[in-house]
Every structure is written in C-alpha cells, then in structure tokens.
Amino acid sequence: MAEVLVYVDHVDGAVRKPTLELLTLARRIGEPVAVALGNGAADTAAALAEHGAVKVLTADAPEFADYLVVPKVDALQAAYDAVSPAAMLLPSSAESKEIAARLALRIGSGIITDAVDLEAGDEGPVATQSAFAASFTTKSRVSKGTPVITVKPNSAAVEAAPAAGAVEALSVSFSEKATGTKVLSRTPRESTGRPELTEAAIVVSGGRGVNGAENFGIIEALADSLGAAVGASRAAVDAGWYPHTNQVGQTGKSVSPQLYVASGISGAIQHRAGMQTSKTIVAINKDSEAPIFDLVDYGVVGDLFAVVPQLTEEIKAR
Ligand code: FAD
C-alpha cells in the first residue's frame, strides 16, 4: 500500500487535534507515515501510532526552534526523498500552507489548500473544497507530481486505529535559506483559555447586533458555557469591539466547527465564506428575514440580549 506523509503539528510533543484528523483521512488513501519536527518530536509517536501512523520520522535541530518555515520545508523534502509518498498532507494553518506551497514548488507538484474532505480516486486522492465564498463545493485532484494537500481543521473525525508507529530518525541537511531569517523578538498573546478559533469544535460569534465591545461579554459567557471559541463578524471587528484575530469570513479566518452559533449577524456572503462548512449552524437574530436564516439548522428570531443569556443559563444548568 502506498505511503502518505502527514506533517505533524505539535507543541513540545503534544500532538494537536488537526493532525489526528489528518491521520483519519490519510488512512483512506494509503499508509500514514508521520513527520514530526522540533522539540519533543519523538514524544509524538505514541499518540500518532494510536491513530494509525505506521512510522514516525523525527528530526530535532536548533533550526526548528524559531517557528521558521524553510527548515521545515527542508525536512519535509528529506522525508519526501526518503519515502516517495503517494501524497503529503498538512493541516491548513497559515504556517502549514506556506510550508506546503514551498514544498510543492520544490518537488514540482501541484497543491490543493483548505480541503474539507479527501477520498481515494483511480488517478490519485480527490479533495473536496468549498469555493467562491462557499457558493460551490468542488472536487479536484493534482495531475502532476505528488499531491500536496492542506486540510481544514474539523474536516474529519479523530479515530483510534492502532498501528506500529515505529520511530525513525530523519536526516536533514538544511539549505542556505534555512538560516537566512532570524526571529528578533516574540510577544506572546495573552491566553483567553479558550480553544483556538480555527480548531474549536464549537464557535460562538457576535456581529453588529451585539452593539458594543462592552456587550461581547454575553457572547463570551455563552462560549465559555460550551467550551467554545469566540468569533466576530467584520462589522464587529471594524467597529473595534473585538480583535481582528477573531474575525470569521472571507478576510478573516475560515472555520468548520461541529457547531457555529451566530448572534446578531446578518449572514453576508463574505461572512458565510468563513463558516458555511460548519456542521450545525444556529442563528439568533431579531430580523426573521435576515439572510443567515437561509443557512441555519436552527434559528431563533429574537433579541440576542434576551436569548443569549437564557441559553447560557440553560447550558450551565445541565
Ligand atoms: P450587519 O449586516 O449589520 O447585521 C447585523 C445583524 O444583527 C442584523 O441582521 C440585525 O437584524 C441583527 N441584530 C441587530 N440587533 C440585534 C439584536 N439585539 N438581537 C438579535 N439580532 C440583532 N464580513 C465578515 O463577517 N467577515 C469577513 O471576513 C468579511 N470580509 C469582507 C470582505 C470584503 C471584500 C467585503 C466587501 C466585505 C466583507 N465583510 C466581511 C463584510 C460583510 O459584507 C458584512 O458587512 C458583514 O459581515 C456584516 O456584519 P454583521 O452581520 O455583523 O452586521
């Protein structure tokens, strides 16, 4: 069976959920071989083996420490040369998409980004994407070289599938460019304790209807009762009520959670572009004609200042 390289997103050896989802998809098209880089790379092996990795290639070097992209491209190219895989899968983060693009260029392959599903095809893996502000769902495959595919978080379930997960050291020789950039300083963002927006299983978003930064507390309270991330429409972000890092949509982040709750958001096409692939969509809006209701699984016509706190209390009571 053909091998499929899976790039491992991890923090000091703790594998992040989107990588485990990638393993589920990788098993549909071949045998997953994971590539873990940087501090704690070898510690990822147990979790990866539990979810189907037949082999885990690891490399650690000072070059990986600073979140720079080129050393990782060098390492993935080394893994590609060693394995000759049928495909290479990466999670759709900003960093991974840059790695994927550079890698595809180096190995002379095509790239598909932001896939939301993946299946085996006669002529190679077929990826499903949501295109033109989520107006279309397309299926495509790479017709040249080894497909490099990035997959949006929450596109597949995490499934246990015990495999060998044998750890092998990957030998990497770094290109000149790997050390051409230096990180001068880093300012960590204050943690909210909430899940990362693009990876969260539940997202609760507020829009112009929230009517002020001071009112976002009720959106946050609902999010916290559900263990959710907080999102915002561009109208709310442009008004300065919530940070741009939380914007959902065409010019913000693209999310695909199990549950998306939109409060005081009209459902403009540019907002839909970032959330339309959510599995279940709930909207709270006082205008029964709001376009968001064309999209929802459950809609509440009402004042969010009455509905959202009630919902929060109800969830907390359970
Ligand atoms: P509005 O459209 O003003 O809707 C507010 C809604 O709140 C209304 O439906 C109203 O009925 C409801 N409401 C008001 N008060 C209450 C209440 N008390 N209780 C319940 N409901 C209430 N937008 C994005 O979101 N993300 C993007 O990434 C993005 N990118 C864009 C890129 C481009 C190039 C352009 C041109 C636009 C982009 N936009 C984006 C903007 C987009 O077109 C809309 O303007 C924006 O999404 C509107 O945000 P909103 O739904 O919060 O506000």
Side-chain angles (χ1 to χ4, degrees):
M1 203 177 192
E3 291 176 312
V4 177
L5 281 187
V6 173
Y7 173 65
V8 178
D9 185 9
H10 71 99
V11 180
D12 297 333
V15 180
R16 301 181 73 175
K17 187 168 156 268
T19 300
L20 302 179
E21 295 164 6
L22 282 186
L23 288 171
T24 301
L25 296 176
R27 283 188 286 111
R28 290 188 195 161
I29 54 176
E31 285 195 323
V33 173
V35 184
L37 308 172
N39 185 41
D43 299 336
T44 62
L48 297 168
E50 228 172 86
H51 295 89
V54 295
K55 205 188 289 174
V56 182
L57 303 176
T58 64
D60 192 8
E63 282 81 354
F64 296 125
D66 268 338
Y67 302 101
L68 297 177
V69 163
V70 178
K72 293 169 184 168
V73 180
D74 289 341
L76 282 173
Q77 187 173 7
Y80 166 82
D81 292 339
V83 173
S84 299
M88 301 177 82
L89 307 185
L90 300 90
S92 272
S93 64
E95 185 198 47
S96 291
K97 282 199 267 189
E98 188 178 345
I99 294 171
R102 287 171 181 261
L103 183 66
L105 187 67
R106 279 205 199 171
I107 63 175
S109 290
I111 179 173
I112 295 174
T113 56
D114 288 340
V116 292
D117 202 5
L118 201 59
E119 62 203 76
D122 293 341
E123 294 171 80
V126 177
T128 304
Q129 286 166 294
S130 169
F132 295 120
S135 307
F136 298 94
T137 296
T138 63
K139 286 188 185 282
S140 46
R141 70 174 175 80
V142 168
S143 56
K144 179 173 178 262
T146 300
V148 178
I149 302 171
T150 77
V151 180
K152 276 170 79 167
N154 292 314
S155 295
V158 172
E159 291 170 3
V167 179
E168 267 181 35
L170 177 69
S171 153
V172 185
S173 42
F174 292 106
S175 58
E176 256 178 53
K177 281 188 180 159
T179 49
T181 314
K182 257 199 170 70
V183 175
L184 298 180
S185 69
R186 215 179 282 146
T187 312
R189 207 176 48 198
E190 223 172 90
S191 169
T192 59
R194 298 191 184 98
E196 186 357 75
L197 181 60
T198 54
E199 293 173 17
I202 305 176
V203 174
V204 177
S205 286
R208 203 194 309 266
V210 175
N211 201 25
E214 65 283 7
N215 299 331
F216 254 86
I218 65 167
I219 303 295
E220 291 178 334
L222 177 58
D224 291 342
S225 73
L226 291 163
V230 175
S233 72
R234 178 157 158 185
V237 169
D238 283 354
W241 301 343
Y242 223 68
H244 180 253
T245 45
N246 295 67
Q247 183 180 316
V248 173
Q250 189 180 318
T251 43
K253 287 185 176 152
S254 185
V255 300
S256 220
Q258 296 299 321
L259 173 63
Y260 187 87
V261 184
S263 303
I265 293 177
S266 60
I269 184 84
Q270 296 89 354
H271 187 78
R272 293 159 77 134
M275 45 67 75
Q276 190 155 311
T277 53
S278 304
K279 313 294 177 294
T280 301
I281 299 172
V282 176
I284 301 153
N285 197 304
K286 67 180 184 186
D287 175 8
S288 63
E289 303 288 317
I292 190 90
F293 286 127
D294 296 340
L295 193 68
V296 298
D297 299 282
Y298 302 96
V300 182
V301 178
D303 185 340
L304 71 91
F305 293 102
V307 176
V308 173
Q310 277 182 54
L311 201 53
T312 307
E313 285 316 310
E314 186 62 35
I315 291 160
K316 276 192 189 159
R318 289 182 181 211

